[in-house]
């Protein structure tokens, strides 16, 4: 580490800041459904997730290798390019957090990296085949696979437990949710913490500190794991609210199915070196679980906003990364201006977030959303499951009940007789 220059040190610190934002941005992936169904208290949930994120960071380096030596060509890439890429990724993460949208931190990082690299060295600096096979295809496939798996798992869980005692079943699934949430947190650490490891490793290669194709040094693994764990512990309550209550209302069976399906997809992709979006996998699983229960619905207006954010993430972060790279190539003053713009943007977003803060106390409070055409049609043709269910079913039942007024007793059977004298 004695060869690290001031600029390289700034890039490493900025990468760890991105890792921190990744942590609180993606806490919802593991713990939103657990919190919304009451399986764990919010603070306990994020503390558990933070610890397992840290543990997961030490389990693999395959995704880090994909980023440090796969997406862009290391030759001819300057350290300033990495800094510009991180600026684009951090600002997009903060903006989508402000809006409560569970967008992909991974794609924000990739977009910033691709945009900055293209601005610096042209399109030849990007390995197009790697981007397609290990970024774009998983981006499309992961939410679909996780959603379908969660849908089938939810239906299977209701079929198996239809004759069981509802209270005992709910209690068992809540315990299962805690275990599956821990698995998602572990999977998140193995996938997302490695992205920062890969970026720092790439910066060290461009700075001549380590040789190309090197594994992340131990201190990089430790620092990246600590940064994402700290961000996770603070909790991204805005996105937790959207994932836990904004997309659909989940019973414990559905939460367990969603988390188990998402964890399986994430762990499999980490083993194969696919740098997929854990956010998209978990969001797809939540929607699949919502549709898997009879009478369950997805709030498609919220889902549509989320889909739009997914589509904008790569190009938006890429444009910001390209603009930041244009500034940094101007020299020292350009780097200073870029850093100042990053701090200013972060400060403005934080100030705006304080107008309507979402905290541990109101994370499960969601304003009622009017039912759309699709939701109304599903409710009309789909009977609810047998037995009591949680909030959504109760709410719908209350709305659909019609109170029949008692009949007017009318005149008494024996009319009042006039008094006689």
């Amino acid at each position: 580490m004695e060869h690290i220059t001031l600029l390289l040190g700034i890039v490493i610190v900025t990468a760890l800041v991105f890792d921190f934002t990744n942590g609180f941005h993606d806490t919802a992936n593991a713990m939103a459904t657990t919190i919304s169904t009451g399986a764990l208290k919010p603070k306990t949930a994020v503390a558990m997730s933070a610890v397992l994120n840290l543990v997961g960071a030490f389990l693999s380096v395959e995704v880090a290798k994909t980023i440090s030596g796969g997406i862009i060509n290391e030759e001819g890439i300057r350290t300033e390019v990495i800094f510009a890429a991180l600026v684009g990724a951090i600002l997009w993460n903060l903006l989508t957090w402000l809006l409560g949208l569970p967008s992909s931190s991974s794609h924000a990082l990739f977009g910033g990296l691709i945009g900055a690299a293209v601005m610096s060295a042209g399109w030849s600096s990007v390995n197009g085949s790697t981007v397609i096979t290990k970024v774009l295809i998983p981006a499309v496939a992961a939410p679909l696979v996780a959603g379908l798996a969660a849908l089938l798992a939810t239906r299977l869980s209701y079929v198996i437990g239809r004759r069981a005692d509802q209270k005992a079943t709910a209690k068992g699934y809540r315990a299962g949710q805690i275990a599956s949430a821990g698995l998602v947190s572990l999977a998140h650490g193995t996938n997302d913490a490695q992205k920062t490891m890969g970026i720092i490793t790439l910066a060290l290669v461009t700075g001549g500190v380590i040789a190309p194709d090197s594994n992340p040094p131990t201190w990089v693994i430790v620092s990246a794991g600590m940064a994402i764990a700290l961000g996770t512990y603070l909790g991204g309550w805005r996105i937790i609210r959207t994932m836990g209550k904004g997309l659909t209302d989940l019973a414990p069976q559905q939460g367990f199915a969603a988390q188990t399906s998402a964890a399986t997809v994430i762990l499999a992709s980490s083993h194969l070196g696919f740098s997929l979006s854990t956010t998209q996998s978990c969001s797809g699983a939540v929607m699949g679980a919502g549709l898997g229960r009879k009478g369950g619905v997805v709030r498609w207006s919220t889902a549509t906003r989320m889909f739009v954010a997914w589509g904008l993430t790569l190009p938006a972060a890429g444009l910001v990364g390209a603009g930041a790279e244009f500034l940094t190539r101007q020299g020292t003053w350009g780097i200073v201006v870029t850093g100042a713009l990053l701090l200013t943007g972060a400060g403005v977003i934080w100030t705006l977030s304080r107008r309507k803060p979402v905290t541990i106390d109101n994370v499960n409070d969601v304003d009622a959303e009017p039912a759309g055409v699709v939701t109304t049609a599903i409710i009309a043709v789909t009977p609810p499951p047998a037995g009591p269910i949680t909030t959504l079913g109760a709410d719908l039942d209350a709305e659909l009940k019609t109170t029949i007024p008692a009949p007017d007793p009318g005149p008494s059977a024996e009319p009042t007789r006039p008094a006689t004298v």
Side-chain angles (χ1 to χ4, degrees):
M1 295 179 64
E2 62 272 17
H3 302 295
I4 294 180
T5 63
L6 176 60
L7 176 59
L8 189 54
I10 292 173
V11 171
I12 292 172
V13 171
T14 307
L16 294 176
V17 171
F18 165 77
D19 205 23
F20 173 81
T21 66
N22 191 351
F24 75 74
H25 198 279
D26 289 2
T27 307
N29 294 346
M31 292 300 170
T33 58
T34 306
I35 292 171
S36 68
T37 61
L40 282 176
K41 293 183 178 180
K43 209 62 180 177
T44 304
V46 296
M48 172 183 164
S49 183
V51 172
L52 290 172
N53 264 281
L54 178 60
V55 173
F58 291 88
L59 298 184
S60 173
V61 294
E62 293 302 318
V63 175
K65 289 180 181 178
T66 297
I67 294 174
S68 63
I71 291 179
I72 65 173
N73 298 316
E74 297 169 338
E75 295 81 7
I77 295 298
R78 301 175 299 112
T79 306
E80 290 88 337
V81 174
I82 313 300
F83 178 58
L86 290 167
V87 169
I90 291 172
L91 288 177
W92 184 255
N93 263 2
L94 292 176
L95 178 61
T96 50
W97 164 77
L98 175 66
L99 299 175
L101 294 175
S103 70
S104 171
S105 299
S106 307
H107 290 175
L109 179 59
F110 300 150
L113 190 59
I114 292 170
V118 169
M119 176 62 72
S120 174
W123 288 102
S124 61
S125 62
V126 179
N127 294 324
S129 60
T130 302
V131 172
I132 292 173
T133 58
K134 293 202 171 185
V135 177
L136 296 182
I137 291 178
V140 175
L144 294 177
V145 173
L148 180 60
L151 187 151
L152 295 176
T154 299
R155 292 191 174 178
L156 180 62
S157 68
Y158 274 109
V159 169
I160 294 174
R162 61 189 173 188
R163 290 187 176 88
D165 179 71
Q166 294 297 318
K167 291 184 178 179
T169 300
K171 185 177 180 180
Y173 276 113
R174 284 194 178 94
Q177 264 196 285
I178 295 173
S180 61
L183 190 61
V184 173
S185 297
L186 196 67
H188 185 259
T190 63
N191 201 284
D192 277 40
Q194 287 188 60
K195 291 160 189 170
T196 299
M197 296 178 205
I199 283 293
I200 295 177
T201 302
L202 180 59
L204 295 174
V205 170
T206 61
V209 178
I210 60 177
D213 299 322
S214 297
N215 286 337
T218 302
W219 67 267
V220 172
I221 297 174
V222 173
S223 58
M226 292 293 291
I228 199 169
L230 180 59
T232 300
Y233 180 71
L234 292 181
W237 304 113
R238 289 175 178 272
I239 301 176
I240 289 176
R241 170 187 282 185
T242 301
M243 286 277 282
K245 292 288 188 181
L247 276 174
T248 186
D249 293 283
L250 298 178
Q253 293 96 319
Q254 295 167 281
F256 175 72
Q259 290 171 322
T260 304
S261 302
T264 303
V265 171
I266 297 168
L267 287 172
S269 67
S270 297
H271 178 70
L272 297 173
F274 291 156
S275 186
L276 90 170
S277 165
T278 56
T279 300
Q280 291 181 0
S281 300
C282 293
S283 300
V286 168
M287 286 187 282
L291 294 174
R293 177 176 60 80
K294 289 183 178 181
V297 294
V298 171
R299 297 183 178 94
W300 292 110
S301 59
T302 301
T304 300
R305 292 195 297 270
M306 188 174 65
F307 294 151
V308 170
W310 288 1
L312 291 177
T313 296
L314 271 170
L319 287 174
V320 177
E325 202 286 324
F326 177 78
L327 284 175
T328 57
R329 73 164 63 170
Q330 309 305 317
T332 303
W333 71 267
I335 296 173
V336 172
V337 169
T338 302
L341 289 175
L342 173 61
L343 293 175
T344 302
V348 170
I349 291 172
W350 173 258
T351 302
L352 292 175
S353 73
R354 295 301 88 196
R355 293 182 177 180
K356 287 187 176 181
V358 180
T359 66
I360 191 173
D361 298 317
N362 64 357
V363 66
N364 282 331
D365 297 340
V366 179
D367 295 333
E369 180 179 287
V373 176
V374 175
T375 300
T376 303
I378 292 175
I379 294 174
V381 301
T382 308
I389 55 176
T390 53
T391 55
L392 177 62
D395 293 342
L396 292 177
D397 186 58
E399 292 176 4
L400 295 176
K401 281 182 179 178
T402 303
T403 302
I404 302 175
D408 188 357
S412 59
E414 185 174 343
T416 305
R417 296 178 180 178
T420 58
V421 178

